[in-house]
Amino acid sequence: MKTIVKHRLFWPVVALVALIAINTIARPQFILITVRNGELYGALIDILRNSAPLMLVALGMTIVIATRGIDLSVGAIMAVSGAVALTIIDASSEPGSLGTVLVALAVALLVALVLGVWNGFLVAVVGIQPIIATLVLMLAGRGVALLITEGFITTVNSGPYEFIATGYLIGLPFAFLISLAAIATIALVERRTALGVLTEAVGINPEASRLAGVRARGIVFSAYAVSGLLAGMAGIIYSSNIRAADANAAGLFIELYAILAVVLGGTSLMGGKFTIAGTVIGVLTIQTLEATILFLGVPSAQSPVFFALVVIIVVLVQSPRLHRWGRRAISTAGSRSRSDAGDRAGVAS
Amino acid sequence: MTKSLELEPRRADARSRYATFMSRRASLMPTFAAVAILIVLLISAQARFPKFLSPGNLSALLLDNAYLVVLAVGLTFVILTGGIDLSVGSVMAFTGILGASLLAQGMPAGIVVPIMLVSGALIGLLIGVLVHYFDVQPFIASLAGLFLARGLAFVVSLSSIRVEDPAVLWLQRTRFQVAGWYITPTGIIALVAVAIAAYVLLWTRFGRTVYAIGGGEQSARLMGLNVARTKVMVYVISGVCGGLAGLLLTAYSGAGYPRNGIGTELDAIAAVVIGGTLLSGGTGYVLGSLIGVLVYGTIKKVISFMGAEQAWTQIIIGALLLLFIVVQRVIVTRSQRRR
C-alpha cells in the first residue's frame, strides 16, 4: 500500500479519477460510451479527441523541461504551421484532393521543425536562457503567421484536411489516434533506449553530463526540434478542427496549459526526472476539468480562475515548506499520543 | 614626427580610458545600445516621413504607451531580483474592468482608484508569497496569477464597460500644452512612476537590496539584508503597477474590457530586456525600461505610418529582442572571462 501511495503517479491519477467520479455522480451519462455506426461516442471520447493538440504540445514540453528548459513558442509554432498548411490548400486548384493535403502537411511540418531547430540553435549553441530564446519566437511567430495569412483568417473546405480532426478510424477519433501514436513513439524512444536517461542526466547537471561524455548539446538541440515538430502537428489538428487558420487565436495560452499539464503530471520544472505517463494524465486532467467547468455552466472565459486555483493547490502540495509543516504536525501528534499512552501507563501502575 | 609622437600616447590614453570605462560600466552597454537604436529609429523615420519628429507626434508616443511604461517599471523590479512576472497584462485587464464596473455602479473615483491599486497589490502579494515562502518558481507562480486575474476579469464582466466618470476621463482629456508639445495627466503619472522607481532603485536601502538579491540571493541573505520582505515586495510593486496601468488604460480607451492586454506581459518583458535589464537579475536600469518602451512605441508608430501590417511590429520586436539578448550574452561571457 505504501509503495502505491509513494509512486509519483499516485496523486495525478487520484486527481483524474476523482474528477471523473465527480462528473459521473453529477450526470451519469458522462461515463457512458455508445457505439454508433461502429464509431465510439460519449463525453469521455470527446475529451480524448479534444485533448489531441494539448497532448502533442505537452509531450514536447515534457522533453524540453526534462533538459531543464522551457518552450514558450509552441503556440506561435502552431499558428504558423496551421497558416502554412491552409494557405497551400487554399492556393491549390484542388483543395479536396489527398495529394494537395499531403503536400500541405509535409510543408507545414517541415516549417515547424525548422522553427524548433531555430529554438534549439539559440539554446544549445548560442547558450541563451531557454525562456528568453523561445520568447523571441513567441513574439515574432504570430507576426509570421499573420504575414502568411495576410492578416486574414484563411478558411478552406477540404475533406481530407477536415478528416484529421473530425474523422474516425477503427472506431476511434483520428486526432486521438495521432496523439496515441505520438505518445507511443516518444515513450518507446525515451524509455526503451538510453536517450531518456541521457536526457535526465543533461537536465540534472548539463556540465557534469558533458564531462561524462554525454553529448548534452545535441540532446538539448533535438529536444527543441521535437517540441517544434509536435507543436506543428498540434497546429494542423487545431486548424483542421476549426477549418480555418487564425494567426491570433491558434494555440493562444497553450504553452501555459502544456506547462501546467507537465507540472500536474509530477515532472519538476527544475529538469531531470520526467514522466511521459504523468504528462498524459496531466493533459487528460486539464481537459476533463475544462469539460467539468463548461458543464457547471461557467462561461469558458472565466475558467482560468479554476485553473489558477488548481495550479496554486498543486504547487502548494509540492512545496517543501508545506511538507515540513506536515511532518512536524504528524510528529507532534505522534509524540503527544505517545506521552498520553505513557501517562495512562503511569496511572495504571 | 614630433607631433605624431605627442599624439600617439594621448590616443592610447583615450583608448585605455575607454577600456576602463567599459570594464566598469559594462552593464550600461545594453542601455546605451537601446538609446542608440531609438535615435537611429527616430532619425530614419524622420528621413522617410518628414512630419514624424513633430512635437505632437512625439508627445503622442508617450501617451499611447503610458500604461506599458508603468507595467515595465513594475516588471523591472521583479526582473532585477532574477524573477519574472507574467501576470502584469492580466492584472491590468482585471483592475481596469473592475474599476470600470465599480464606476458604472456609481462609486466615486476617489474610492475606486485605491480599490484598483489594492486589488493589483493583492495578486502581486499572492505571487510573492508563493515565490518566497513556498519556493514556487516565479514563472509558475505568476502564471497562476495570470490565470487568476484573467479569469477574474471575465467574472467581473464578459463584455466591455464604458467609463463616464469625469475624474477618470480628465486623466486623458486634459492637455497641458507648450508650443505644440503636450502632455496629459496619464503621461505625467507614467513619468512620475519612472522617477519614483529610479529614485528607489538607486538611492534607497530597498533598491540596493533588490540589486543584491539579483546578484546572488544567498550572499544577500548572508549580508543580513531582508531578502524575504524585499522579494515579496517586488511582486507587490509589480501588482500595484498593474493596477495603475489598468487605470491608465481605462482612461485612455474610455472603457474597461476583459480582453485587454492579452500578451502585453510579453511586450513589457521585451521592453525591459531591450532597455538593458538582464533577465538573470542584478543588472539594469528603470530608465532603460522607459527607453525600451519608447523603442517599442516608435516601431509601432513607424509601421502604422508605413501603412504596413501590424504583423511586422511583432517580427521586428522579436528580432530586436534577439539582438539585445545576444548583446547581453556577449557582455556576460566577457565579464565572466575577466573574473
Side-chain angles (χ1 to χ4, degrees):
Chain A
M1 184 63 204
K2 200 158 192 183
T3 48
I4 296 176
V5 176
K6 283 270 179 199
H7 195 278
R8 56 181 164 160
L9 286 185
F10 178 73
W11 289 112
V13 170
V14 166
L16 179 59
V17 170
L19 210 51
I20 293 176
I22 292 170
N23 271 290
T24 312
I25 293 166
R27 43 172 177 156
Q29 71 270 29
F30 179 82
I31 200 130
L32 229 57
I33 296 172
T34 54
V35 181
R36 248 182 273 163
N37 308 329
E39 294 170 358
L40 296 175
Y41 281 91
L44 288 177
I45 300 293
D46 280 344
I47 288 174
L48 289 182
R49 189 172 73 89
N50 295 337
S51 68
L54 182 60
M55 187 73 83
L56 294 171
V57 168
L59 283 174
M61 192 69 82
T62 310
I63 308 293
V64 170
I65 285 178
T67 66
R68 205 187 261 192
I70 204 146
D71 189 350
L72 297 183
S73 67
V74 284
I77 295 181
M78 274 179 72
V80 172
S81 85
V84 169
L86 285 203
T87 307
I88 291 174
I89 294 175
D90 194 36
S92 96
S93 52
E94 279 181 279
S97 85
L98 190 63
T100 312
V101 171
L102 287 180
V103 168
L105 292 185
V107 175
L109 289 180
L110 189 69
V111 170
L113 182 65
V114 168
L115 293 178
V117 166
W118 162 256
N119 280 333
F121 170 75
L122 288 185
V123 175
V125 180
V126 186
I128 300 171
Q129 281 182 66
I131 184 173
I132 312 305
T134 53
L135 182 66
V136 171
L137 195 52
M138 183 183 191
L139 284 174
R142 286 191 191 280
V144 173
L146 274 172
L147 278 189
I148 295 171
T149 61
E150 291 171 339
F152 299 111
I153 296 177
T154 309
T155 54
V156 297
N157 217 339
S158 161
Y161 198 74
E162 282 159 25
F163 179 81
I164 297 169
T166 51
Y168 272 80
L169 206 67
I170 56 166
L172 287 167
F174 187 59
F176 171 63
L177 291 176
I178 294 176
S179 64
L180 210 56
I183 295 168
T185 311
I186 288 186
L188 275 180
V189 171
E190 292 283 342
R191 288 304 178 206
R192 287 287 167 262
T193 69
L195 194 62
V197 181
L198 297 181
T199 307
E200 293 188 339
V202 171
I204 292 163
N205 192 334
E207 193 55 22
S209 56
R210 194 183 62 79
L211 293 174
V214 178
R215 288 175 56 191
R217 190 172 277 188
I219 286 176
V220 172
F221 195 94
S222 46
Y224 287 91
V226 167
S227 174
L229 186 64
L230 287 170
M233 288 165 72
I236 287 168
I237 295 176
Y238 178 88
S239 63
S240 156
N241 197 28
I242 63 167
R243 292 158 201 200
D246 186 345
N248 285 315
L252 190 66
F253 289 145
I254 199 164
E255 54 279 342
L256 304 180
Y257 283 104
I259 294 164
L260 176 57
V262 172
V263 175
L264 279 179
T267 297
S268 161
L269 281 170
M270 303 304 287
K273 293 260 171 232
F274 70 98
T275 142
I276 301 285
T279 298
V280 172
I281 293 168
V283 169
L284 294 179
T285 308
I286 288 178
Q287 213 60 241
T288 313
L289 191 60
E290 183 114 18
T292 314
I293 292 168
L294 284 179
F295 170 70
L296 290 174
V298 177
S300 67
Q302 295 174 359
S303 67
V305 177
F306 289 84
F307 285 103
L309 296 179
V310 171
V311 178
I312 291 170
I313 292 169
V314 168
V315 294
L316 285 182
V317 166
Q318 288 181 352
S319 88
R321 183 176 288 253
L322 214 66
H323 288 183
R324 267 203 307 278
W325 286 349
R327 270 199 298 277
R328 205 173 301 151
I330 290 168
S331 70
T332 50
S335 66
R336 195 175 301 143
S337 67
R338 230 175 291 132
S339 66
D340 282 356
D343 287 350
R344 245 174 278 136
V347 169
S349 66
Chain B
M1 190 66 195
T2 42
K3 241 179 206 170
S4 75
L5 269 177
E6 266 175 23
L7 269 176
E8 210 51 44
R10 196 175 294 166
R11 203 179 294 158
D13 189 36
R15 204 178 294 151
S16 77
R17 215 179 280 166
Y18 171 74
T20 322
F21 177 81
M22 283 295 290
S23 64
R24 285 190 188 154
R25 296 270 173 233
S27 63
L28 271 172
M29 268 311 291
T31 309
F32 281 153
V35 174
I37 283 198
L38 181 61
I39 292 170
V40 169
L41 265 175
L42 288 175
I43 290 174
S44 43
Q46 172 69 17
R48 181 89 160 62
F49 312 104
K51 279 185 187 156
F52 196 87
L53 284 186
S54 69
N57 204 22
L58 288 182
S59 305
L61 189 63
L62 175 65
L63 304 187
D64 292 345
N65 297 294
Y67 69 94
L68 197 57
V69 169
V70 173
L71 288 183
V73 164
L75 204 55
T76 309
F77 279 85
V78 176
I79 293 180
L80 279 176
T81 65
I84 198 142
D85 188 353
L86 297 176
S87 73
V88 292
S90 301
V91 170
M92 176 178 77
F94 166 53
T95 56
I97 190 81
L98 180 69
S101 157
L102 292 178
L103 287 172
Q105 288 162 27
M107 230 187 241
I111 299 176
V112 170
V113 171
I115 288 179
M116 291 170 78
L117 298 183
V118 168
S119 50
L122 284 177
I123 293 180
L125 180 68
L126 172 75
I127 297 172
V129 166
L130 283 177
V131 168
H132 187 75
Y133 289 101
F134 293 99
D135 272 332
V136 181
Q137 283 185 31
F139 187 88
I140 297 297
S142 62
L143 177 57
L146 181 157
F147 276 118
L148 186 66
R150 181 64 64 192
L152 286 176
F154 282 107
V155 170
V156 173
S157 167
L158 286 171
S159 53
S160 94
I161 299 176
R162 277 185 62 83
V163 172
E164 319 272 353
D165 187 84
V168 172
L169 294 179
W170 174 83
L171 289 175
Q172 184 66 22
R173 289 198 182 147
T174 320
R175 294 195 168 185
F176 305 111
Q177 288 196 344
V178 181
W181 293 84
Y182 66 88
I183 193 161
T184 60
T186 49
I188 295 173
I189 290 174
L191 290 181
V192 168
V194 172
I196 293 174
Y199 170 78
V200 167
L201 280 174
L202 286 181
W203 285 296
T204 65
R205 189 186 172 82
F206 175 78
R208 282 193 293 272
T209 312
V210 168
Y211 279 100
I213 291 174
E217 196 178 326
Q218 198 61 35
S219 9
R221 194 170 290 134
L222 292 175
M223 280 193 285
L225 298 173
N226 195 336
V227 171
R229 198 187 55 198
T230 309
K231 247 175 104 186
V232 174
M233 262 313 273
V234 293
Y235 289 96
V236 173
I237 289 173
S238 178
V240 171
C241 285
L244 190 59
L247 175 68
L248 297 189
L249 188 63
T250 306
Y252 179 75
S253 58
Y257 184 46
R259 284 192 183 280
N260 269 338
I262 289 182
T264 301
E265 54 277 349
L266 301 173
D267 297 337
I269 293 172
V272 172
V273 171
I274 289 173
T277 301
L278 280 189
L279 274 150
S280 43
T283 312
Y285 305 94
V286 83
L287 275 175
S289 301
L290 175 65
I291 304 286
V293 173
L294 292 179
V295 168
Y296 174 84
T298 309
I299 292 172
K300 233 170 35 176
K301 189 142 265 183
V302 167
I303 284 168
S304 76
F305 261 63
M306 282 163 61
E309 291 130 56
Q310 215 51 37
W312 282 106
T313 319
Q314 286 167 300
I315 295 174
I316 294 172
I317 291 287
L320 263 185
L321 189 62
L322 180 67
L323 177 78
F324 277 84
I325 291 160
V326 172
V327 167
Q328 289 185 348
R329 178 77 198 151
V330 170
I331 289 168
V332 170
T333 28
R334 268 189 166 184
S335 62
Q336 276 170 352
R337 209 174 295 152
R338 208 173 288 126
R339 255 177 245 155

